[in-house]
Amino acid sequence: MTTSHENHNTAPAPSPQNIYDDPRFFEGYRTLREQDTGLNGALEIPAMRGLLPDLRGRAVLDLGCGFGDFARHARAQGADRVTALDVSANMIEAARALTHDPAITYLHASIEDCVTAQAAFDLVVSSPLPCTTSRIIRPWCAAFSIA
């Protein structure tokens, strides 16, 4: 998988939203997520986990991975490999620091610039899910978002 910031046929795309690299916002968000008392911990995580297929032997792509919580969960549930990306350098740095698993690859990249081999993943997870994922998942796999 690579990322591409060049498009020679059109005007440059606007930079993706990235408030997470603002130090003040990032620290506040980190504190909120460490306590996991918000809607993410109470609603989104349980709902997403309840919808997951069997992950054993699967290749998973986590778009907008944040601190890497889902990537680590997918591996704990038997995924063979997880590729996780986020536009925030702060998030990727934190995810790498929290993860000690060579089968998880973290990439500092935007969802919009994600370029991968055709049908490279069995499951794509994001919140929210962009509508361009059909080119990167196998025909029989699942792609979903809880938003």
Side-chain angles (χ1 to χ4, degrees), residues 108-120:
H108 177 218
S110 71
I111 293 170
E112 296 85 358
D113 291 336
C114 176
V115 178
T116 185
Q118 185 79 14

Side-chain angles (χ1 to χ4, degrees), residues 56-140:
R56 288 176 288 187
R58 305 288 189 201
V60 177
L61 176 62
D62 183 2
L63 299 172
C65 68
F67 294 111
D69 297 334
F70 180 78
R72 291 186 299 277
H73 174 76
R75 282 286 294 147
Q77 297 303 306
D80 275 352
R81 66 181 171 88
V82 179
T83 301
L85 64 99
D86 203 287
V87 70
S88 168
N90 284 343
M91 290 292 191
I92 291 297
E93 181 180 332
R96 286 178 178 150
L98 292 167
T99 303
H100 307 286
D101 186 340
I104 299 175
T105 302
Y106 289 106
L107 301 174
H108 177 218
S110 71
I111 293 170
E112 296 85 358
D113 291 336
C114 176
V115 178
T116 185
Q118 185 79 14
F121 296 95
D122 301 305
L123 177 73
V124 177
V125 177
S126 181
S127 180
L129 183 68
C131 59
T132 59
T133 57
S134 61
R135 65 183 169 76
I136 58 176
I137 58 176
R138 296 186 178 113
W140 47 268

Side-chain angles (χ1 to χ4, degrees), residues 41-54:
L43 297 175
E44 183 174 349
I45 290 172
M48 184 184 312
R49 289 182 180 176
L51 293 171
L52 287 174
D54 183 358

Side-chain angles (χ1 to χ4, degrees), residues 10-66:
T10 62
S15 296
Q17 177 184 344
N18 181 12
I19 195 168
Y20 299 98
D21 283 342
D22 174 274
R24 188 170 149 196
F25 182 88
F26 180 75
E27 287 309 315
Y29 184 74
R30 180 197 302 258
T31 299
L32 175 70
R33 290 301 302 274
E34 284 174 351
Q35 297 167 3
D36 220 359
T37 58
L39 292 176
N40 188 64
L43 297 175
E44 183 174 349
I45 290 172
M48 184 184 312
R49 289 182 180 176
L51 293 171
L52 287 174
D54 183 358
L55 296 179
R56 288 176 288 187
R58 305 288 189 201
V60 177
L61 176 62
D62 183 2
L63 299 172
C65 68

